[in-house]
Every structure is written in structure tokens, then in C-alpha cells.
């Protein structure tokens, strides 16, 4: 029995709790989807380290349907860019059903890339060349998100191609609305094929985890899309991913998500996990009944709501008012003649904007009257992001500029990077002892 089985236990418990529910209906407007097993139910979670946890039917294949939309949107954003995609597809929740026949008043754009109109246009924006046909690119990207080669369920494709006139009508409507650089009517058949790509709940969890992990598949290490693209896709999923129930979902469950009419549902915890469920019985909004309940319960139980902020109270910064208080300080140091008291601010973990603000505040708190000299101890820092590095550098320059003697213990060169300190910057040392020693030695003259 492994400790991490506790995660599996939580998924199994949810599976048991909701497996017996018979509410909801199978989608039947694509006739093949009505053949799904109404009892199928699986839940999968992939961590940012690529650890997999699952319960129930997580290897049962089904067609991805609308859950393909965020990933093809990601592909369009990567290839064409946010501004260009944004000229043709909006980013506003429509408050309408997934297949609504409507475009944004004024602009004539589909409201967003998560409703059918926007998704068809997003698909159309993926370049189609002889060497890289549009659908091949899409299938390749979906496969990289999933971390394995996916294929098409030809029967479901044929079934939708036969009955998909509403989507064709949408494509004509879009084409009639403006001077598009691409042809959505030609692309709608590709859109049907993309919807018929076969996945499992484990695949979908990996795909969601890739978005949560800044575009890098946490299982294969493949950088599928750039980090800003992953962030943009998650933002649109958060506001528009659950169709006309998106606001209520964000309110109650609080995670970027996307559902599809075959019963797939994904949710992503940015920088935390990817989740997926499969259960084909749908509620009136077109979302899996069991999936909706299971993810809602999971979010509540583990405090996964995005607006809930468990990260805030962490102990990333500690302030020791004088170096003498440190366990490693030689006894009687303070008494030694000619030595100043030194404040030490120690940071640990990964420093981002929020942590950097705390470090700078602690540096200010550490002086200046009693302890004019201060050491910033970064030995236990594991990472400093670009924003935090810039903030720390300018904050430290202000400190030295204001006359405080400042040293940084930074053995891994995390702050200075190349090891070259700019003018006005503090002194850098490989150990805290050297930094304290330099600060404590009273200058003469
Ligand atoms: N292929 C489906 C359609 O366009 C996808 C809809 C969905 O999954 O919500 O009707």
C-alpha cells in the first residue's frame, strides 16, 4: 500500500458515490453517440509531475467532441497568434447553447472558441497546406497533448457528417458575416473529424494537465504549446467552457473546464493538476451529470476553487533581527569589537511576485536603525521567476542606494544570474557566513 493511494482512494470514493446515479440522457442528435454505455464512468487525475491516478472506466474509448475545442484553439493561437485569432473569434461568454445560431452583434464574430460557431472558425484558422493538411496538424496536436497517437472513430464521424447540417448552417452564417481570410464552410468537415477523435478519460486528464502545466505535457515532457497560449486557453475555458452554465460552474467549482456531448469533461488546476471524467449521461446543458457532480465534490473537498487562496500564508520569508540569533552564529559575536549587528532575511522555495513583495517588506522591517546592515539569505530558494528577480534587484538597489550595507547569500547565483552585479547592487556571497561577516565588519574611514 503506497501513501499516494490516498489520492486514488478519493477518486474511488467519488466513483462509488455517483456511479449509481441514472439521471440525464445520452446525446442522440449524433445517432452513434446514443449507442454509448450509460453506466460507463471513469475519473482520472494527472499531477504536474506526471503522476496518474484513476478510478473506474478510464481506458474506455469515446469521441472527444467539444473537448477538442480548447486544444484546437491552442493550436490556432500558436500558429496564428492571439491578436489575429481575436479578430475573427471573440472571448466573451455567450450565455447561449453550444450550437446556438448566433454571432456577436456589431462584429459578426462568433462569441468565443468554445461554442460551435467559434470552434468551426478556430478550426478554419489552422493553416491547410499540401504538406501539412489541416486535419493532420490537428490530430498531431491532440496526440501530443494526450501523449500518444490518437485516431478517429470513423463511424461517429460518418454519423455526424450525415446529420451535421446545423453546424454547416453555422459555417455558412459565419462566412456570410464578413471578409474572412479562411473558409469555414470548407473547414466544417474537418471540425466533424476533430470531434470524432477517439480518447479515454486518461488521455483527457493528460491533455488538461498539459494546459495546467504551461503547455508542457507532464507525462512526456513535450512542450506542445507556449506557456502564454496555455494561459489564454485556460482563461477562455474558465469563462466559456461550460456553455450557458459557465458562470455557475466558475462560481461553484471554480476551475477552467470543458465538457463535450459524448460525456467527456476536463478541468484544469493551473500549475496543479489535470482532471477528466467520462460518463455519457448528460444534463440539459450538455454536460455529463456524474462528471459535473464528481468534479464539483472534488473541488469542494480539496479546496481546488481558483479563487480560494491556500498559497497565501506560506512561510517563504523569515526575518532574524540579528545574525547573533542564528543557530550557527559564534557565541559572543555581538560583543566582538568593531562589529555591527546584522539583520538576516531568509527566503525559501520558489519566489514569484507575491513572495518577492514579502521579501522586500521583510528587508525594510529589518532596519534601519538598529541593524544598518542586512543579509538576504537565498540559499533555500529553489527558483526565482522573471518578475520576482526584477523586483528583488530593484528593491536591493534601493536599499544600497539608501545607505544600508546589503549582502546576498546566493550560492546558486539565482538572483544575479551571470554573476555580474550592476553598479549600486549589493555584494553577493556563496555562503551566509561570508555575507554576514562582510556586513558585520565595520568599515573604517
Ligand atoms: N460535434 C458536436 C457538435 O458540434 C460537439 C458538441 C459538443 O460536444 O458539445 O454538435
Amino acid at each position: 500500500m503506497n501513501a499516494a493511494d490516498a489520492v486514488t482512494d478519493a477518486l474511488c470514493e467519488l466513483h462509488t458515490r455517483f456511479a449509481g446515479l441514472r439521471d440525464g440522457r445520452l446525446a442522440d442528435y449524433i445517432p452513434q453517440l446514443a449507442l454509448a454505455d450509460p453506466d460507463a464512468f471513469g475519473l482520472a487525475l494527472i499531477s504536474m509531475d506526471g503522476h496518474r491516478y484513476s478510478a473506474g472506466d478510464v481506458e474506455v474509448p469515446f469521441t472527444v467532441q467539444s473537448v477538442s475545442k480548447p486544444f484546437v484553439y491552442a493550436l490556432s493561437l500558436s500558429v496564428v497568434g492571439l491578436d489575429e485569432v481575436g479578430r475573427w473569434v471573440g472571448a466573451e461568454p455567450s450565455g447561449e447553447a453550444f450550437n446556438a445560431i448566433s454571432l456577436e452583434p456589431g462584429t459578426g464574430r462568433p462569441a468565443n472558441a468554445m461554442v460551435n460557431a467559434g470552434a468551426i472558425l478556430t478550426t478554419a484558422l489552422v493553416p491547410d497546406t499540401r504538406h501539412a493538411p489541416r486535419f493532420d496538424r490537428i490530430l498531431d496536436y491532440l496526440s501530443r497533448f494526450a501523449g500518444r497517437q490518437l485516431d478517429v472513430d470513423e463511424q461517429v464521424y460518418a454519423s455526424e457528417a450525415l446529420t451535421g447540417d446545423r453546424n454547416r448552417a453555422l459555417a455558412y452564417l459565419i462566412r456570410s458575416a464578413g471578409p474572412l481570410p479562411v473558409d469555414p464552410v470548407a473547414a466544417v468537415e474537418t471540425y466533424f473529424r476533430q470531434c470524432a477523435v477517439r480518447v479515454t478519460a486518461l488521455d483527457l486528464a493528460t491533455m488538461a494537465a498539459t494546459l495546467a502545466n504551461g503547455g508542457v505535457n507532464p507525462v512526456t515532457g513535450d512542450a506542445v504549446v507556449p506557456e502564454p497560449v496555455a494561459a489564454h486557453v485556460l482563461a477562455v475555458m474558465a469563462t466559456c467552457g461550460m456553455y450557458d452554465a459557465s458562470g455557475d460552474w466558475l462560481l461553484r467549482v471554480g476551475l477552467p473546464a470543458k465538457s463535450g456531448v459524448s460525456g467527456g469533461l476536463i478541468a484544469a488546476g493551473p500549475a496543479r493538476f489535470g482532471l477528466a471524467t467520462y460518463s455519457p449521461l448528460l444534463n440539459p446543458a450538455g454536460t455529463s451529470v456524474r462528471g459535473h457532480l464528481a468534479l464539483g465534490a472534488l473541488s469542494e473537498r480539496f479546496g481546488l476553487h481558483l479563487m480560494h487562496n491556500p498559497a497565501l500564508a506560506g512561510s517563504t520569508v523569515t526575518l532574524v533581527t540579528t545574525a547573533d540569533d542564528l543557530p550557527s552564529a559564534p557565541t559572543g559575536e555581538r560583543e566582538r569589537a568593531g562589529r555591527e549587528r546584522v539583520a538576516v532575511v531568509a527566503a525559501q522555495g520558489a519566489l514569484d511576485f507575491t513572495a518577492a513583495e514579502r521579501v522586500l517588506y521583510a528587508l525594510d522591517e529589518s532596519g534601519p536603525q538598529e541593524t544598518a546592515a542586512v543579509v538576504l539569505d537565498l540559499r533555500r530558494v529553489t527558483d526565482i521567476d522573471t518578475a520576482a528577480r526584477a523586483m528583488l534587484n530593484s528593491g536591493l538597489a534601493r536599499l544600497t542606494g539608501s545607505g544600508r550595507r546589503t549582502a546576498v547569500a546566493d550560492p546558486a547565483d539565482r538572483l544575479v544570474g551571470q554573476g555580474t552585479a550592476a553598479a549600486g547592487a549589493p555584494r553577493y556571497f556563496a555562503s551566509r557566513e561570508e555575507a554576514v561577516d562582510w556586513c558585520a565588519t565595520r568599515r573604517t574611514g
Side-chain angles (χ1 to χ4, degrees):
M1 192 81 185
N2 301 319
D5 287 342
V7 181
T8 308
D9 286 349
L11 297 182
C12 288
E13 199 184 300
L14 291 170
H15 185 271
T16 310
R17 185 165 1 145
F18 298 116
L21 260 186
R22 291 286 179 282
D23 298 352
R25 297 189 52 215
L26 295 172
D28 57 6
Y29 74 101
I30 299 172
Q32 278 284 321
L33 296 185
L35 305 179
D37 172 8
D39 290 328
F41 183 30
L43 298 115
L45 183 150
I46 309 282
S47 76
M48 297 295 86
D49 301 309
H51 305 155
R52 298 156 157 233
Y53 304 93
S54 62
D57 303 316
V58 292
E59 301 201 53
V60 172
F62 56 96
T63 54
V64 64
Q65 299 300 335
S66 273
V67 183
S68 62
K69 291 170 180 173
F71 302 99
V72 177
Y73 184 47
L75 170 56
S76 287
L77 291 175
S78 303
V79 178
V80 187
L82 181 63
D83 291 342
E84 185 60 16
V85 172
R87 284 176 65 193
W88 311 109
V89 186
E92 296 301 333
S94 67
E96 292 177 325
F98 68 98
N99 57 1
I101 305 275
S102 78
L103 299 176
E104 222 171 51
T107 65
R109 299 178 307 178
N112 62 69
M114 301 297 121
V115 291
N116 285 9
I120 293 167
L121 190 39
T122 310
T123 299
L125 287 170
V126 175
D128 188 27
T129 63
R130 194 188 314 199
H131 296 300
R134 176 178 291 135
F135 182 71
D136 291 2
R137 279 185 183 228
I138 290 175
L139 185 61
D140 177 53
Y141 259 72
L142 294 176
S143 301
R144 289 174 61 192
F145 272 110
R148 73 176 182 100
Q149 184 59 48
L150 302 175
D151 64 3
V152 174
D153 184 327
E154 295 293 345
Q155 286 177 318
V156 173
Y157 166 68
S159 183
E160 182 160 23
L162 258 177
T163 56
D165 284 344
R166 192 179 174 94
N167 282 324
R168 291 193 184 93
L170 267 175
Y172 280 105
L173 179 70
I174 300 163
R175 194 169 72 180
S176 74
L180 283 163
V182 290
D183 184 358
V185 174
V188 75
E189 309 302 321
T190 306
Y191 166 77
F192 292 153
R193 270 192 101 63
Q194 133 197 346
C195 286
V197 168
R198 220 183 326 230
V199 291
T200 66
L202 266 174
D203 292 329
L204 288 188
T206 311
M207 294 168 83
T210 302
L211 288 178
N213 194 37
V216 178
N217 184 317
V219 178
T220 62
D222 183 9
V224 186
V225 290
E227 193 278 331
V229 165
H232 291 141
V233 173
L234 290 175
V236 173
M237 283 168 64
T239 52
C240 312
M242 301 294 277
Y243 300 131
D244 36 345
S246 296
D248 192 64
W249 172 272
L250 190 59
L251 174 72
R252 293 173 194 279
V253 183
L255 291 171
K258 185 73 200 81
S259 66
V261 288
S262 54
L265 173 59
I266 59 169
R272 299 169 91 183
F273 55 79
L275 273 167
T277 58
Y278 171 58
S279 170
L281 291 172
L282 308 181
N283 68 21
T287 296
S288 166
V289 173
R290 294 189 190 109
H292 189 297
L293 289 168
L295 292 191
L298 196 70
S299 170
E300 193 173 322
R301 171 155 170 204
F302 292 114
L304 306 180
H305 197 298
L306 268 192
M307 312 302 166
H308 179 74
N309 197 345
L312 201 61
S315 60
T316 46
V317 184
T318 49
L319 168 62
V320 179
T321 43
T322 73
D324 310 11
D325 300 343
L326 295 171
S328 61
T331 42
E333 169 138 7
R334 202 189 308 173
E335 282 72 44
R336 280 211 237 148
R339 292 178 73 78
E340 283 186 23
R341 291 163 65 98
V342 178
V344 177
V345 170
Q348 55 179 315
L351 304 188
D352 60 0
F353 167 83
T354 312
E357 182 276 334
R358 298 179 74 214
V359 169
L360 295 176
Y361 197 87
L363 288 169
D364 286 338
E365 291 261 280
S366 73
Q369 269 82 357
E370 224 195 331
T371 56
V374 61
V375 168
L376 174 58
D377 180 356
L378 298 178
R379 292 171 311 148
R380 297 177 70 183
V381 165
T382 52
D383 190 31
I384 304 182
D385 74 13
T386 318
R389 180 175 295 112
M391 280 174 66
L392 290 176
N393 279 326
S394 74
L396 287 167
R398 280 166 181 270
L399 267 192
T400 52
S402 71
R404 288 191 72 190
R405 192 182 318 185
T406 311
V408 182
D410 185 18
D413 277 352
R414 293 193 195 283
L415 195 54
V416 277
Q418 298 351 339
T420 45
R427 288 285 299 265
Y428 287 85
F429 295 92
S431 71
R432 182 171 63 194
E433 286 68 28
E434 288 171 88
V436 168
D437 206 50
W438 179 80
C439 275
T441 308
R442 207 164 267 153
R443 286 188 195 135
T444 47

